[in-house]
Amino acid sequence: VRLLESGGDSVQIGESLRLSCTASGFTLGETDVAWYRRQPGNECKLVSSISVEGSTDYTDSVKGRFTISQDNARNTVYLRMNSLKPEDTAIYYCGAKDSDRPTPDCYNHMDYWGKGTLVTVSS
């Protein structure tokens, strides 16, 4: 059972990236999934989530720029990130959990989480 994030890269301000979170050993569509990020010296931050029912949520700083989506055929959740800013620089982690409890503050309190993928945005 594991989650694997991919898609992180070094980009310029205003560019876009699509992160992928692919599950193996379980069905991602049967869980709530969330993307988190951890910036140097900062706490873990919940960025976006998608529930089993398909409801989505975003932290204020990424609303209108980031989109979370799910492809059940690929057992993958995506995070499309547009208009990237330097403050989006972070390691991005995805996590998954049963839907019977609230989304925790950090990925390492989810039922499953990955090792992260690095996004660097520079001017």
Side-chain angles (χ1 to χ4, degrees):
V1 173
R2 70 169 187 166
L3 286 173
L4 179 65
E5 303 95 336
S6 62
D9 203 349
S10 295
V11 296
Q12 301 290 312
I13 291 175
E15 293 186 340
S16 299
L17 284 174
R18 188 181 73 165
L19 305 184
S20 299
C21 170
T22 301
S24 59
F26 70 101
T27 302
L28 203 55
E30 295 178 353
T31 65
D32 296 337
V33 180
W35 282 97
Y36 297 83
R37 64 188 181 191
R38 189 188 291 274
Q39 296 163 320
N42 289 347
E43 295 180 351
C44 191
K45 177 77 173 179
L46 175 62
V47 175
S48 180
S49 62
I50 184 166
S51 71
V52 170
E53 296 82 10
S55 298
T56 60
D57 198 13
Y58 302 89
T59 191
D60 286 346
S61 63
V62 308
K63 284 181 181 176
R65 299 189 299 123
F66 289 14
T67 303
I68 192 170
S69 62
Q70 189 158 357
D71 184 339
N72 290 332
R74 288 180 167 81
N75 215 22
T76 298
V77 167
Y78 301 102
L79 184 68
R80 177 69 179 183
M81 307 187 296
N82 295 330
S83 303
L84 283 162
K85 305 175 180 180
E87 51 264 43
D88 295 319
T89 295
I91 300 174
Y92 285 73
Y93 300 86
C94 69
K97 66 169 182 69
D98 290 335
S99 61
D100 59 352
R101 63 185 183 95
T103 301
D105 291 340
C106 196
Y107 60 90
N108 56 356
H109 295 153
M110 298 284 265
D111 295 329
Y112 312 107
W113 64 91
K115 295 184 177 180
T117 185
L118 177 62
V119 172
T120 304
V121 185
S122 57
S123 57

